[in-house]
Amino acid sequence: IWQGGETNYTTALELINKVRTRTQINKLDDDVKSDEERMLKALLEERDMELAAEGKRWYDLVRFGKAKNYKYKTSFIDLIVANNSSIGSKWLRSVLKDNNAWFLPIHQDEIDRNPVLTQNPYYDVTAN
């Protein structure tokens, strides 16, 4: 998918549909090949189903959001907000606009042991 082009999208869709056939789920339609973002979202959905409860979803979503210099950041935020019912969407959107909020803080013990490490700016309480 990252390589782009109809041939690569066709190959990716064939691979996705191969998995869907194995699991007895209907194949995706060819219209998903219309653009890169639709293909990536289809792949994210497949990975979500195939790797449920394996702890991979967040990392897949972050990789999607960061891709191509944050090209899909808005789509990443939309996916997070749409699948979250416990926190207000306005607050969640405002937090996720800061790219550093996507990552956990570094424990202070680790920073103390390794002076080369610096705290994730989102959690740096010493910053002004």
Side-chain angles (χ1 to χ4, degrees), residues 4-19:
E6 187 176 341
T7 302
N8 291 319
Y9 294 166
T10 299
T11 302
L13 184 59
E14 287 170 0
L15 292 169
I16 290 170
N17 282 332
K18 184 176 180 179
V19 172

Side-chain angles (χ1 to χ4, degrees), residues 62-88:
V62 168
R63 189 170 33 256
F64 171 66
K66 286 179 61 176
K68 298 189 176 184
N69 199 26
Y70 296 92
K71 178 179 180 181
Y72 300 113
K73 180 177 179 176
T74 301
S75 293
F76 161 78
I77 293 171
D78 291 344
L79 283 168
I80 300 299
V81 170
N83 290 291
N84 187 315
S85 60
S86 63
I87 299 174

Side-chain angles (χ1 to χ4, degrees), residues 31 41 43 51 61 69 74 76 88 96 98 108 112 114 127:
D31 64 342
K41 285 182 175 179
L43 179 61
L51 304 171
L61 292 173
N69 199 26
T74 301
F76 161 78
L96 293 175
D98 183 337
Q108 188 60 47
D112 292 344
N114 186 346

Side-chain angles (χ1 to χ4, degrees), residues 11-125:
T11 302
L13 184 59
E14 287 170 0
L15 292 169
I16 290 170
N17 282 332
K18 184 176 180 179
V19 172
R20 293 177 74 87
T21 299
R22 175 185 54 81
T23 57
Q24 299 178 357
I25 299 174
N26 292 337
K27 291 182 177 183
L28 293 177
D29 295 327
D30 279 350
D31 64 342
V32 77
K33 297 187 306 186
S34 62
D35 65 53
E36 181 179 74
E37 185 172 359
R38 287 191 69 191
M39 287 296 302
L40 289 170
K41 285 182 175 179
L43 179 61
L44 284 171
E45 276 300 310
E46 294 307 309
R47 285 184 56 84
D48 187 28
M49 288 187 291
E50 189 71 16
L51 304 171
E54 291 190 18
K56 309 237 185 256
R57 180 72 170 162
W58 177 253
Y59 303 104
D60 285 346
L61 292 173
V62 168
R63 189 170 33 256
F64 171 66
K66 286 179 61 176
K68 298 189 176 184
N69 199 26
Y70 296 92
K71 178 179 180 181
Y72 300 113
K73 180 177 179 176
T74 301
S75 293
F76 161 78
I77 293 171
D78 291 344
L79 283 168
I80 300 299
V81 170
N83 290 291
N84 187 315
S85 60
S86 63
I87 299 174
S89 62
K90 286 183 181 181
W91 179 83
L92 189 55
R93 283 183 189 283
S94 70
V95 167
L96 293 175
K97 285 182 180 180
D98 183 337
N99 301 346
N100 293 313
W102 301 4
F103 305 97
L104 292 171
I106 299 171
H107 195 281
Q108 188 60 47
D109 290 348
E110 297 297 322
I111 294 172
D112 292 344
R113 283 187 210 120
N114 186 346
V116 178
L117 289 176
T118 58
Q119 185 58 271
N120 174 343
Y122 186 77
Y123 299 97
D124 190 357
V125 294

